[in-house]
Amino acid sequence: MGAPSAVPLLLLLACCWAPAGANLSQDGYWQEQDLELGTLAPLDEAISSTVWSSPDLLASQDSQPWTSDETVVAGGTVVLKCQVKDHEDSSLQWSNPAQQTLYFGEKRALRDNRIQLVSSTPHELSISISNVALADEGEYTCSIFTMPVRTAKSLVTVLGIPQKPIITGYKSSLREKDTATLNCQSSGSKPAAHLTWRKGDQELRGEQKIQEDPNGKTFTVSSSVTFQVTREDDGANIVCSVNHESLKGADRSTSQRIEVLYTPTAMIRPDPPHPREGQKLLLHCEGRGNPVPQQYLWVKEGSEPPLKMTQDSALIFPFLNKSDSGTYGCTAISNMGSYTAYFTLNVNDPSPVPSSSSTYHAIIGGIVAFIVFLLLILLIFLGHYVIRHKGTYLTHEAKGSDDAPDADTAIINAEGGQSGGDDKKEYFI
């Protein structure tokens, strides 16, 4: 029997197999009349149950459809894509895990507005399912009605998103060195999520437990952490974070701020930092603690306690003198205890203050120095002038003498001309 003649026989067998209340549509699959559309078995079940032995009916591997597994977060959208190289003049069909036909070619077979057609060609059938629920998880089947019918499976995995974690166990303030135990819980994850703890930049190690939710699909995870608190933990945030692949790196965490009560500390700060005799001085006692110190007591070694404060927690010296030098103690007190800080005060000599007479003398001295400087410059210029004009003065004096020859005689004598004897006199004018 050839392939073309087998199709009528196949349809005849399918008609004989069809249940009551169902008709075979012109599109080649079953539709209900009185029952909800899509609840009856599709045509591929009847066809695939038939054994064909003729070699002429064996389809090539090119007619084998293929698809891929998909993972989707609950509430998201998944696209199921089925492809075939050789469709052999047949249509592709998608069925859900309950074997209900979703689409046969471009024809919708199930009333579910979440399921939409993306693409329908002889070589491809793609559909999308929006607002995916956990119940949509399972194996979806793509079928092509060749001889024999060929199928491909697509496993759709739906991830359950974990709920925001909840921290319990913290009731009231803790005292320094107390042990704190906190619990964290998150439900609705699929697969089970992982919880982590953090205190500032420090990671805390917790013990985790996993419990299946009543729906049988999701999980509730819980974790507890125990640690000893210190005064540095006052105001710290203890953070519980849930890690899960459905979050795609997004942060989902809850924090719990803790309060730690501890004994006060104090330190003394002088104002000004280097006090001198005659100045005003404030010794500030700066207390820190939880609760903040409300009472301060001042003492001086070797004197009758306590000293009187005149401004908040500060001790004031309106006018310092040498007798104020010594060691002072400030005790900060709260209902958690007390702490005493010490400060040694050394009063320095007063700073030299320039008088008005000294200022006057300095100004006069500057003026005198400037005048002396001008006189020196004048004398230097005068000396240069005298030296420069001294030669001219001597020349004029020589010309006025009776013994001095005139110019012509001086020249003749210089050249060795007329003489008055062997002795020669040279004149330089």
Side-chain angles (χ1 to χ4, degrees), residues 34-235:
D34 300 327
L35 301 178
E36 182 183 355
L37 185 63
T39 57
L40 295 182
L43 180 61
D44 60 344
E45 290 187 359
I47 300 176
S48 59
S49 62
T50 306
V51 179
W52 305 92
S53 59
S54 173
D56 296 335
L57 297 179
L58 296 178
S60 65
Q61 292 299 320
D62 290 342
S63 60
Q64 174 63 42
W66 72 88
T67 184
S68 60
D69 295 339
E70 303 293 338
T71 300
V72 61
V73 177
T77 300
V78 63
V79 175
L80 301 179
K81 185 176 183 179
C82 181
Q83 294 176 292
V84 66
K85 186 174 182 181
D86 183 6
H87 57 83
E88 296 187 9
D89 296 328
S90 184
S91 298
L92 294 169
Q93 172 184 292
W94 271 112
S95 303
N96 64 13
Q99 291 304 310
Q100 295 172 314
T101 301
L102 303 179
Y103 266 90
F104 185 81
E106 61 182 9
K107 300 296 181 65
R108 180 199 297 268
L110 187 66
R111 294 197 189 112
D112 190 340
N113 292 330
R114 300 180 307 137
I115 305 173
Q116 297 293 330
L117 180 66
V118 176
S119 174
S120 177
T121 68
H123 299 279
E124 178 186 333
L125 178 59
S126 296
I127 62 173
S128 66
I129 306 175
S130 60
N131 196 22
V132 176
L134 293 174
D136 294 322
E137 185 175 78
E139 274 192 345
Y140 288 74
T141 305
C142 174
S143 307
I144 186 170
F145 296 100
T146 56
M147 301 301 173
V149 174
R150 280 179 161 78
T151 61
K153 301 291 185 179
S154 175
L155 177 61
V156 174
T157 302
V158 181
L159 302 178
I161 304 176
Q163 299 297 315
K164 186 178 178 67
I166 299 174
I167 297 178
T168 58
Y170 180 78
K171 297 180 180 178
S172 60
S173 302
L174 300 167
R175 290 178 174 266
E176 187 176 14
K177 297 183 179 180
D178 280 353
T179 298
T181 299
L182 299 178
N183 302 305
C184 181
Q185 181 174 292
S186 173
S187 59
S189 59
K190 178 181 173 297
H194 180 67
L195 299 177
T196 58
W197 291 93
R198 191 175 68 256
K199 181 180 70 172
D201 296 332
Q202 178 186 1
E203 184 175 347
L204 303 176
R205 179 176 295 182
E207 297 181 1
Q208 181 163 298
K209 296 181 180 179
I210 301 174
Q211 182 178 359
E212 189 177 61
D213 292 334
N215 59 21
K217 293 181 178 295
T218 59
F219 299 89
T220 295
V221 292
S222 58
S223 178
S224 62
V225 65
T226 301
F227 59 96
Q228 188 179 57
V229 299
T230 64
R231 62 179 58 199
E232 286 75 18
D233 294 329
D234 182 37

